[in-house]
Amino acid sequence: MAIPAVVRVVEAHALVYRRTWRGSVISTFFSPVLYLLAMGVGLGSLVDAGAGPADLGGLSYLAFLAPGLLVATAMQTGAGDGSWPVMAGIKWTKTYHATLATPVGVRDLVVGHLGWVGLRLTFVSVVFVAIMAAFGAVESWAGAMAVVPAVLTGLAFAAATTAYAAYLDNDTGLSTLFRFGIVPMFLFSGTFFPISQLPDWLEPLASVVPLWHGVELARSLALGIPTTWSPLIHVGYLLVWIVVSTLVGFRMFSRKLRQ
Amino acid sequence: MPLVEARSLTKKFGDLTAVDAVDFEVARGESFGFLGPNGAGKTSAMRMIGAVSPVSDGYLQVLGMDPAVDGPEIRRRLGVVPQDDTLDTELSVAENLLIYGRYFDLPRPLIRERITELLDFAQLSERRDDKVEPLSGGMKRRLTIARALINQPELLILDEPTTGLDPQARHVLWDRLYRLKQQGVTLIVTTHYMDEAEQLCDRLVIMDKGKIVAEGSPRQLIEAYSTREVLEMRFPVGVQETILDRLDGLAKRTEALPDRVLLYTDNGDGTAAEVAKRGLQPESVVVRRSTLEDVFLRLTGRTLVD
Ligand SMILES: Nc1ncnc2c1ncn2[C@@H]1O[C@H](COP(=O)(O)OP(=O)(O)O)[C@@H](O)[C@H]1O
Ligand SMILES: [Mg+2]
């Protein structure tokens, strides 16, 4: 792997983005507003009037929900950027083949791609936290640090879906991944309610999902409350996902593009 | 030292041997071809030369380097026009070149200069800021060639550069490649069109089923494996089978294809006259010069494009 080559790959993504940013930027601003309004404020008023505060440790539903949504949004962004665009580069537009005919190598390509996704995740998460603040859902400036676990979570999913998309021969597997993987994780990993509310047999399963670790960290940073496990474990778990998925991605890319 | 040199070069995909122990050399400034039908192993060979596909067995040297060791350095000095278009269709013509130039670590001002020159060369200057998507097949190919030249490569490898193009677009492209050759760029071209091989290649190898079956200049190959002229005759349906033995002794070699008979002879008109003397009445008679297609037929018993 060569640093300049990685930077070139990031640069190429930025150039492509210059052409295609409009659609994604609009949803970057609107989807947090819509979710926080509908779920945080609308549904929140019901939850706060009922049994909610007891199970949420005295938090308003909006305050509980917002950091979770931040990280869940990062997950979706990461998983999205790691799936169809990768399949396109390998199989549809074949631009990865063109890139790899230059001095850029497979590892440069994978790391550069994830580096770009990291930049995009940072942007999406910063916007989200700003909107959270506008809703009064961030306790202090330190709450802005919730961007970090959001980006790490997004990267864990980006790296994993990148490897998976490179492994697949067609995109039906990607639709399946979103329908039976990403959507359930979005709903059941502590974003909308604490995983302690899940049936007991499901709780351990939820704690294997990287999203839950990111949500734990983000909620702790945004609200100044403790995490379930040590923050080091949560961070470490996300990092392991990123590193292992990236290494698997190297192999999958080589199998498809360097045979 | 040759620019590219292969000894017993082999590519395997599992049990399948796509390139089977081939030997060839390409000298600097030469225009070298791989002629063969689909599945002959041309792309597999090109990908090994382009240092994007590992060699399974044998020896390969490209620009004095070993692709297994110096892949990035080889690719830095190479231009590649792949068989399938790999342009970013969402971007403009110029942006495709800019991104590519950056992959070679070229500074932006230099890339901008080269974009202007290359688009001029590729006759795409007017389309500079247009999206790639709606360009014609010929324009996309020319853009791909321009892109492959952004790093001013010493060696340009082109995998089926005109497959799928109409005749006029092919001639435009051949003209551009001829200019490159004049400028001293070494070309390696694969094709399954014998006319393309004859137009572009100083020297070529004929490939079939992973093996090289003959090597030489188009002229040498035709002289060695064919006659000066070919007499092509079509007979009414069902008649051809019944008259084949009556053609005995008329030509150096007779080839019966499903739809016509080819007589290999140095004097086509003379042979045609003798056919008539024997009382045979073909539906159509054509005398033409021998081509590489005839060489391929002679060597493999099959036609190049079926
Ligand atoms: N990635 C691959 N995996 C398995 N088989 C392949 C692969 N690429 C090519 N082949 C096989 O190798 C043989 C040669 O293919 P190729 O080099 O593409 O020939 P050509 O370019 O002359 O048409 C074919 O039988 C093809 O199916
Ligand atoms: Mg091919």
mmCIF file of all heavy atoms in Angstrom, chain B residues 231-248 254-263 280-284:
data_model
loop_
_atom_site.group_PDB
_atom_site.id
_atom_site.type_symbol
_atom_site.label_atom_id
_atom_site.label_comp_id
_atom_site.label_asym_id
_atom_site.label_seq_id
_atom_site.Cartn_x
_atom_site.Cartn_y
_atom_site.Cartn_z
ATOM 1 N N LEU B 231 -9.748 -18.788 -54.892
ATOM 2 C CA LEU B 231 -10.950 -18.808 -55.717
ATOM 3 C C LEU B 231 -12.100 -19.296 -54.843
ATOM 4 O O LEU B 231 -12.060 -20.408 -54.318
ATOM 5 C CB LEU B 231 -10.732 -19.775 -56.890
ATOM 6 C CG LEU B 231 -11.926 -20.047 -57.795
ATOM 7 C CD1 LEU B 231 -12.380 -18.777 -58.497
ATOM 8 C CD2 LEU B 231 -11.554 -21.126 -58.811
ATOM 9 N N GLU B 232 -13.083 -18.417 -54.639
ATOM 10 C CA GLU B 232 -14.232 -18.768 -53.794
ATOM 11 C C GLU B 232 -15.422 -19.071 -54.673
ATOM 12 O O GLU B 232 -15.801 -18.253 -55.510
ATOM 13 C CB GLU B 232 -14.615 -17.592 -52.879
ATOM 14 C CG GLU B 232 -13.674 -17.363 -51.733
ATOM 15 C CD GLU B 232 -14.349 -16.602 -50.580
ATOM 16 O OE1 GLU B 232 -15.601 -16.587 -50.525
ATOM 17 O OE2 GLU B 232 -13.614 -16.042 -49.763
ATOM 18 N N MET B 233 -16.030 -20.207 -54.487
ATOM 19 C CA MET B 233 -17.190 -20.574 -55.309
ATOM 20 C C MET B 233 -18.343 -21.025 -54.427
ATOM 21 O O MET B 233 -18.158 -21.742 -53.450
ATOM 22 C CB MET B 233 -16.822 -21.722 -56.251
ATOM 23 C CG MET B 233 -15.767 -21.335 -57.274
ATOM 24 S SD MET B 233 -15.382 -22.706 -58.363
ATOM 25 C CE MET B 233 -14.654 -23.855 -57.217
ATOM 26 N N ARG B 234 -19.539 -20.581 -54.814
ATOM 27 C CA ARG B 234 -20.751 -21.074 -54.154
ATOM 28 C C ARG B 234 -21.527 -21.914 -55.155
ATOM 29 O O ARG B 234 -21.680 -21.525 -56.312
ATOM 30 C CB ARG B 234 -21.633 -19.909 -53.711
ATOM 31 C CG ARG B 234 -21.139 -19.235 -52.453
ATOM 32 C CD ARG B 234 -21.959 -17.987 -52.153
ATOM 33 N NE ARG B 234 -21.158 -17.033 -51.397
ATOM 34 C CZ ARG B 234 -21.088 -17.028 -50.069
ATOM 35 N NH1 ARG B 234 -21.791 -17.895 -49.368
ATOM 36 N NH2 ARG B 234 -20.313 -16.167 -49.447
ATOM 37 N N PHE B 235 -22.041 -23.043 -54.660
ATOM 38 C CA PHE B 235 -22.862 -23.905 -55.502
ATOM 39 C C PHE B 235 -24.277 -23.936 -54.946
ATOM 40 O O PHE B 235 -24.486 -23.639 -53.768
ATOM 41 C CB PHE B 235 -22.272 -25.319 -55.534
ATOM 42 C CG PHE B 235 -21.010 -25.399 -56.334
ATOM 43 C CD1 PHE B 235 -19.763 -25.231 -55.721
ATOM 44 C CD2 PHE B 235 -21.049 -25.623 -57.705
ATOM 45 C CE1 PHE B 235 -18.596 -25.277 -56.453
ATOM 46 C CE2 PHE B 235 -19.873 -25.674 -58.442
ATOM 47 C CZ PHE B 235 -18.657 -25.499 -57.819
ATOM 48 N N PRO B 236 -25.245 -24.299 -55.769
ATOM 49 C CA PRO B 236 -26.616 -24.390 -55.251
ATOM 50 C C PRO B 236 -26.679 -25.360 -54.068
ATOM 51 O O PRO B 236 -25.864 -26.286 -53.981
ATOM 52 C CB PRO B 236 -27.410 -24.943 -56.448
ATOM 53 C CG PRO B 236 -26.601 -24.615 -57.647
ATOM 54 C CD PRO B 236 -25.177 -24.613 -57.201
ATOM 55 N N VAL B 237 -27.661 -25.147 -53.218
ATOM 56 C CA VAL B 237 -27.793 -25.967 -52.007
ATOM 57 C C VAL B 237 -27.822 -27.451 -52.386
ATOM 58 O O VAL B 237 -28.521 -27.856 -53.302
ATOM 59 C CB VAL B 237 -29.098 -25.589 -51.255
ATOM 60 C CG1 VAL B 237 -29.243 -26.441 -50.004
ATOM 61 C CG2 VAL B 237 -29.083 -24.116 -50.903
ATOM 62 N N GLY B 238 -27.002 -28.237 -51.689
ATOM 63 C CA GLY B 238 -27.028 -29.682 -51.926
ATOM 64 C C GLY B 238 -26.080 -30.140 -53.018
ATOM 65 O O GLY B 238 -25.740 -31.314 -53.096
ATOM 66 N N VAL B 239 -25.608 -29.216 -53.856
ATOM 67 C CA VAL B 239 -24.764 -29.606 -54.985
ATOM 68 C C VAL B 239 -23.300 -29.742 -54.562
ATOM 69 O O VAL B 239 -22.578 -30.630 -55.015
ATOM 70 C CB VAL B 239 -24.885 -28.569 -56.140
ATOM 71 C CG1 VAL B 239 -23.894 -28.875 -57.260
ATOM 72 C CG2 VAL B 239 -26.310 -28.563 -56.667
ATOM 73 N N GLN B 240 -22.892 -28.866 -53.627
ATOM 74 C CA GLN B 240 -21.472 -28.789 -53.269
ATOM 75 C C GLN B 240 -20.880 -30.164 -52.941
ATOM 76 O O GLN B 240 -19.829 -30.528 -53.467
ATOM 77 C CB GLN B 240 -21.293 -27.835 -52.084
ATOM 78 C CG GLN B 240 -19.837 -27.706 -51.645
ATOM 79 C CD GLN B 240 -19.666 -26.628 -50.579
ATOM 80 O OE1 GLN B 240 -20.146 -25.520 -50.742
ATOM 81 N NE2 GLN B 240 -19.000 -26.972 -49.507
ATOM 82 N N GLU B 241 -21.601 -30.936 -52.124
ATOM 83 C CA GLU B 241 -21.081 -32.232 -51.683
ATOM 84 C C GLU B 241 -20.817 -33.156 -52.879
ATOM 85 O O GLU B 241 -19.877 -33.951 -52.867
ATOM 86 C CB GLU B 241 -22.063 -32.917 -50.728
ATOM 87 C CG GLU B 241 -22.293 -32.193 -49.404
ATOM 88 C CD GLU B 241 -23.155 -30.941 -49.556
ATOM 89 O OE1 GLU B 241 -23.942 -30.871 -50.519
ATOM 90 O OE2 GLU B 241 -23.022 -30.027 -48.723
ATOM 91 N N THR B 242 -21.667 -33.046 -53.896
ATOM 92 C CA THR B 242 -21.589 -33.996 -55.004
ATOM 93 C C THR B 242 -20.461 -33.688 -55.987
ATOM 94 O O THR B 242 -20.053 -34.568 -56.739
ATOM 95 C CB THR B 242 -22.919 -34.017 -55.795
ATOM 96 O OG1 THR B 242 -23.093 -32.720 -56.400
ATOM 97 C CG2 THR B 242 -24.095 -34.306 -54.889
ATOM 98 N N ILE B 243 -19.942 -32.467 -55.973
ATOM 99 C CA ILE B 243 -18.951 -32.125 -57.004
ATOM 100 C C ILE B 243 -17.535 -32.004 -56.454
ATOM 101 O O ILE B 243 -16.595 -31.748 -57.208
ATOM 102 C CB ILE B 243 -19.326 -30.815 -57.731
ATOM 103 C CG1 ILE B 243 -19.582 -29.669 -56.754
ATOM 104 C CG2 ILE B 243 -20.559 -31.003 -58.598
ATOM 105 C CD1 ILE B 243 -18.407 -28.900 -56.363
ATOM 106 N N LEU B 244 -17.386 -32.157 -55.121
ATOM 107 C CA LEU B 244 -16.066 -31.902 -54.525
ATOM 108 C C LEU B 244 -14.969 -32.727 -55.196
ATOM 109 O O LEU B 244 -13.885 -32.229 -55.485
ATOM 110 C CB LEU B 244 -16.095 -32.176 -53.015
ATOM 111 C CG LEU B 244 -16.717 -31.060 -52.165
ATOM 112 C CD1 LEU B 244 -16.706 -31.443 -50.704
ATOM 113 C CD2 LEU B 244 -15.981 -29.741 -52.390
ATOM 114 N N ASP B 245 -15.235 -34.014 -55.500
ATOM 115 C CA ASP B 245 -14.172 -34.842 -56.071
ATOM 116 C C ASP B 245 -13.813 -34.406 -57.493
ATOM 117 O O ASP B 245 -12.726 -34.694 -57.976
ATOM 118 C CB ASP B 245 -14.541 -36.327 -56.023
ATOM 119 C CG ASP B 245 -15.932 -36.582 -56.583
ATOM 120 O OD1 ASP B 245 -16.654 -35.578 -56.823
ATOM 121 O OD2 ASP B 245 -16.287 -37.748 -56.783
ATOM 122 N N ARG B 246 -14.717 -33.672 -58.126
ATOM 123 C CA ARG B 246 -14.408 -33.204 -59.487
ATOM 124 C C ARG B 246 -13.471 -31.994 -59.480
ATOM 125 O O ARG B 246 -13.035 -31.545 -60.542
ATOM 126 C CB ARG B 246 -15.689 -32.878 -60.243
ATOM 127 C CG ARG B 246 -16.510 -34.155 -60.506
ATOM 128 C CD ARG B 246 -17.881 -33.850 -61.026
ATOM 129 N NE ARG B 246 -17.860 -33.207 -62.328
ATOM 130 C CZ ARG B 246 -18.952 -32.683 -62.896
ATOM 131 N NH1 ARG B 246 -20.110 -32.730 -62.250
ATOM 132 N NH2 ARG B 246 -18.869 -32.103 -64.076
ATOM 133 N N LEU B 247 -13.195 -31.466 -58.270
ATOM 134 C CA LEU B 247 -12.255 -30.342 -58.180
ATOM 135 C C LEU B 247 -10.825 -30.816 -57.946
ATOM 136 O O LEU B 247 -9.894 -30.013 -57.887
ATOM 137 C CB LEU B 247 -12.669 -29.406 -57.037
ATOM 138 C CG LEU B 247 -14.042 -28.749 -57.182
ATOM 139 C CD1 LEU B 247 -14.412 -28.012 -55.902
ATOM 140 C CD2 LEU B 247 -14.041 -27.789 -58.369
ATOM 141 N N ASP B 248 -10.645 -32.142 -57.814
ATOM 142 C CA ASP B 248 -9.326 -32.681 -57.496
ATOM 143 C C ASP B 248 -8.263 -32.210 -58.472
ATOM 144 O O ASP B 248 -8.493 -32.170 -59.682
ATOM 145 C CB ASP B 248 -9.360 -34.218 -57.521
ATOM 146 C CG ASP B 248 -9.975 -34.762 -56.243
ATOM 147 O OD1 ASP B 248 -10.149 -33.951 -55.301
ATOM 148 O OD2 ASP B 248 -10.286 -35.962 -56.200
ATOM 149 N N THR B 254 -7.753 -27.488 -51.308
ATOM 150 C CA THR B 254 -9.184 -27.218 -51.416
ATOM 151 C C THR B 254 -9.785 -27.236 -50.022
ATOM 152 O O THR B 254 -9.465 -28.097 -49.210
ATOM 153 C CB THR B 254 -9.883 -28.297 -52.270
ATOM 154 O OG1 THR B 254 -9.217 -28.369 -53.524
ATOM 155 C CG2 THR B 254 -11.344 -27.961 -52.476
ATOM 156 N N GLU B 255 -10.624 -26.247 -49.741
ATOM 157 C CA GLU B 255 -11.236 -26.156 -48.422
ATOM 158 C C GLU B 255 -12.737 -26.059 -48.610
ATOM 159 O O GLU B 255 -13.224 -25.141 -49.287
ATOM 160 C CB GLU B 255 -10.701 -24.911 -47.714
ATOM 161 C CG GLU B 255 -10.915 -24.838 -46.232
ATOM 162 C CD GLU B 255 -9.937 -25.712 -45.446
ATOM 163 O OE1 GLU B 255 -8.703 -25.498 -45.549
ATOM 164 O OE2 GLU B 255 -10.428 -26.605 -44.746
ATOM 165 N N ALA B 256 -13.473 -27.009 -48.074
ATOM 166 C CA ALA B 256 -14.938 -26.984 -48.226
ATOM 167 C C ALA B 256 -15.565 -26.452 -46.942
ATOM 168 O O ALA B 256 -15.503 -27.096 -45.902
ATOM 169 C CB ALA B 256 -15.460 -28.376 -48.533
ATOM 170 N N LEU B 257 -16.123 -25.243 -47.022
ATOM 171 C CA LEU B 257 -16.843 -24.678 -45.878
ATOM 172 C C LEU B 257 -18.323 -24.995 -46.057
ATOM 173 O O LEU B 257 -18.748 -25.376 -47.146
ATOM 174 C CB LEU B 257 -16.618 -23.166 -45.814
ATOM 175 C CG LEU B 257 -15.166 -22.730 -45.622
ATOM 176 C CD1 LEU B 257 -15.072 -21.206 -45.588
ATOM 177 C CD2 LEU B 257 -14.574 -23.328 -44.356
ATOM 178 N N PRO B 258 -19.126 -24.837 -45.035
ATOM 179 C CA PRO B 258 -20.539 -25.182 -45.167
ATOM 180 C C PRO B 258 -21.222 -24.471 -46.339
ATOM 181 O O PRO B 258 -22.076 -25.038 -47.004
ATOM 182 C CB PRO B 258 -21.146 -24.720 -43.845
ATOM 183 C CG PRO B 258 -20.006 -24.728 -42.881
ATOM 184 C CD PRO B 258 -18.779 -24.413 -43.674
ATOM 185 N N ASP B 259 -20.833 -23.224 -46.620
ATOM 186 C CA ASP B 259 -21.564 -22.452 -47.621
ATOM 187 C C ASP B 259 -20.777 -22.180 -48.893
ATOM 188 O O ASP B 259 -21.272 -21.538 -49.809
ATOM 189 C CB ASP B 259 -22.018 -21.126 -47.005
ATOM 190 C CG ASP B 259 -20.828 -20.313 -46.524
ATOM 191 O OD1 ASP B 259 -19.763 -20.917 -46.254
ATOM 192 O OD2 ASP B 259 -20.939 -19.076 -46.446
ATOM 193 N N ARG B 260 -19.503 -22.602 -48.946
ATOM 194 C CA ARG B 260 -18.714 -22.314 -50.149
ATOM 195 C C ARG B 260 -17.486 -23.202 -50.202
ATOM 196 O O ARG B 260 -17.111 -23.820 -49.196
ATOM 197 C CB ARG B 260 -18.313 -20.830 -50.198
ATOM 198 C CG ARG B 260 -17.432 -20.389 -49.072
ATOM 199 C CD ARG B 260 -17.631 -18.912 -48.757
ATOM 200 N NE ARG B 260 -17.560 -18.749 -47.314
ATOM 201 C CZ ARG B 260 -16.567 -18.107 -46.667
ATOM 202 N NH1 ARG B 260 -15.623 -17.516 -47.345
ATOM 203 N NH2 ARG B 260 -16.559 -18.039 -45.370
ATOM 204 N N VAL B 261 -16.852 -23.239 -51.381
ATOM 205 C CA VAL B 261 -15.611 -23.991 -51.553
ATOM 206 C C VAL B 261 -14.495 -22.996 -51.849
ATOM 207 O O VAL B 261 -14.676 -22.060 -52.632
ATOM 208 C CB VAL B 261 -15.713 -24.974 -52.748
ATOM 209 C CG1 VAL B 261 -14.478 -25.856 -52.809
ATOM 210 C CG2 VAL B 261 -16.962 -25.811 -52.642
ATOM 211 N N LEU B 262 -13.355 -23.178 -51.204
ATOM 212 C CA LEU B 262 -12.205 -22.308 -51.448
ATOM 213 C C LEU B 262 -11.124 -23.128 -52.158
ATOM 214 O O LEU B 262 -10.752 -24.203 -51.692
ATOM 215 C CB LEU B 262 -11.644 -21.768 -50.130
ATOM 216 C CG LEU B 262 -12.619 -21.090 -49.169
ATOM 217 C CD1 LEU B 262 -11.868 -20.569 -47.945
ATOM 218 C CD2 LEU B 262 -13.355 -19.951 -49.853
ATOM 219 N N LEU B 263 -10.639 -22.598 -53.263
ATOM 220 C CA LEU B 263 -9.527 -23.247 -53.948
ATOM 221 C C LEU B 263 -8.297 -22.346 -53.805
ATOM 222 O O LEU B 263 -8.323 -21.184 -54.223
ATOM 223 C CB LEU B 263 -9.842 -23.447 -55.433
ATOM 224 C CG LEU B 263 -10.975 -24.412 -55.773
ATOM 225 C CD1 LEU B 263 -11.016 -24.664 -57.274
ATOM 226 C CD2 LEU B 263 -10.826 -25.725 -55.036
ATOM 227 N N LEU B 280 -18.394 -27.528 -64.554
ATOM 228 C CA LEU B 280 -19.043 -27.160 -63.284
ATOM 229 C C LEU B 280 -19.561 -25.734 -63.383
ATOM 230 O O LEU B 280 -18.918 -24.862 -63.960
ATOM 231 C CB LEU B 280 -18.043 -27.280 -62.144
ATOM 232 C CG LEU B 280 -17.574 -28.710 -61.870
ATOM 233 C CD1 LEU B 280 -16.415 -28.706 -60.908
ATOM 234 C CD2 LEU B 280 -18.738 -29.533 -61.336
ATOM 235 N N GLN B 281 -20.758 -25.502 -62.806
ATOM 236 C CA GLN B 281 -21.337 -24.170 -62.899
ATOM 237 C C GLN B 281 -21.677 -23.622 -61.523
ATOM 238 O O GLN B 281 -22.803 -23.777 -61.046
ATOM 239 C CB GLN B 281 -22.589 -24.201 -63.776
ATOM 240 C CG GLN B 281 -22.226 -24.340 -65.235
ATOM 241 C CD GLN B 281 -23.409 -24.782 -66.066
ATOM 242 O OE1 GLN B 281 -24.404 -25.303 -65.563
ATOM 243 N NE2 GLN B 281 -23.302 -24.578 -67.359
ATOM 244 N N PRO B 282 -20.702 -23.001 -60.875
ATOM 245 C CA PRO B 282 -20.987 -22.399 -59.562
ATOM 246 C C PRO B 282 -21.982 -21.246 -59.705
ATOM 247 O O PRO B 282 -22.061 -20.630 -60.773
ATOM 248 C CB PRO B 282 -19.629 -21.879 -59.094
ATOM 249 C CG PRO B 282 -18.638 -22.237 -60.127
ATOM 250 C CD PRO B 282 -19.328 -22.752 -61.323
ATOM 251 N N GLU B 283 -22.714 -20.963 -58.608
ATOM 252 C CA GLU B 283 -23.638 -19.819 -58.614
ATOM 253 C C GLU B 283 -22.876 -18.514 -58.601
ATOM 254 O O GLU B 283 -23.316 -17.511 -59.147
ATOM 255 C CB GLU B 283 -24.545 -19.862 -57.379
ATOM 256 C CG GLU B 283 -25.737 -20.763 -57.543
ATOM 257 C CD GLU B 283 -26.657 -20.669 -56.369
ATOM 258 O OE1 GLU B 283 -26.168 -20.410 -55.243
ATOM 259 O OE2 GLU B 283 -27.863 -20.846 -56.556
ATOM 260 N N SER B 284 -21.744 -18.515 -57.883
ATOM 261 C CA SER B 284 -20.943 -17.301 -57.878
ATOM 262 C C SER B 284 -19.477 -17.674 -57.789
ATOM 263 O O SER B 284 -19.116 -18.705 -57.220
ATOM 264 C CB SER B 284 -21.332 -16.388 -56.702
ATOM 265 O OG SER B 284 -20.821 -16.928 -55.513
#
